[in-house]
Amino acid sequence: MTIFLSHSTWGMPSVPIAQAIAHCANLGFDGLEMTVIPGWPTDAASLDAAARKEIRRLYDDHHLTLSGLSGATPLLTADQEAATAHLQQVKSYLDLAAELQKPGEILSVSTVSGGTEADWPVVKEQLVERYGALARHAEQ
């Protein structure tokens, strides 16, 4: 059995990605998930083409697997305008994953549904619809 040990930049909201990658590689981690939400140094919306290329190079140079993108953006919200914005935000994470992913590599993009257990009977179809829209976007 092979064990793969990965960490996440979720707990490093102010640490530059170059520092996080070097530190986790030096600690012996095999991979590092990159948090891409607003407020982090790796906010997907703020990464231009040069920054994205540099991030990929840093992972490769440190022999660290980019094990995924963390974008804990709730898909369920009562406000339709916010729901549309959140869906677009997660789509941008999928686009970033497609750009950073190497051929043959599997790169996960994690998010959250939001809501509560009590909401489930009312929102389950809405959640299926939103995940379906994300799946169709990812397929492209």
Side-chain angles (χ1 to χ4, degrees):
M1 175 169 51
T2 302
I3 305 269
F4 180 88
L5 185 61
S6 185
H7 192 55
S8 175
T9 62
W10 183 260
M12 303 182 215
S14 61
V15 177
I17 191 63
Q19 184 180 346
I21 290 170
H23 182 68
C24 289
N26 288 335
L27 288 174
F29 284 100
D30 300 302
L32 180 64
E33 177 188 65
M34 186 171 71
T35 303
V36 294
I37 60 175
W40 265 249
T42 48
D43 173 353
S46 71
L47 298 175
D48 62 16
R52 293 169 185 223
K53 186 175 180 177
E54 176 66 7
I55 287 168
R56 183 74 250 186
R57 185 193 66 74
L58 287 165
Y59 272 90
D60 292 343
D61 286 356
H62 285 86
H63 307 287
L64 199 63
T65 298
L66 175 56
S67 55
L69 302 180
S70 177
T73 303
L75 295 177
L76 293 176
T77 179
D79 179 333
Q80 187 55 42
E81 189 175 314
T84 300
H86 289 177
L87 198 58
Q88 281 306 118
Q89 193 171 16
V90 177
K91 286 179 180 179
S92 77
Y93 303 158
L94 294 170
D95 294 342
L96 178 59
E99 188 174 337
L100 293 176
Q101 189 172 330
K102 292 161 68 171
E105 187 175 57
I106 295 173
L107 186 56
S108 70
V109 175
S110 63
T111 191
V112 296
S113 61
T116 67
E117 187 177 342
D119 297 334
W120 183 246
V122 177
V123 298
K124 63 184 174 185
E125 293 301 321
Q126 186 180 55
L127 189 59
V128 167
E129 179 185 308
R130 290 181 183 163
Y131 273 118
L134 292 172
R136 288 186 296 280
H137 183 83
E139 188 175 48
Q140 294 174 352

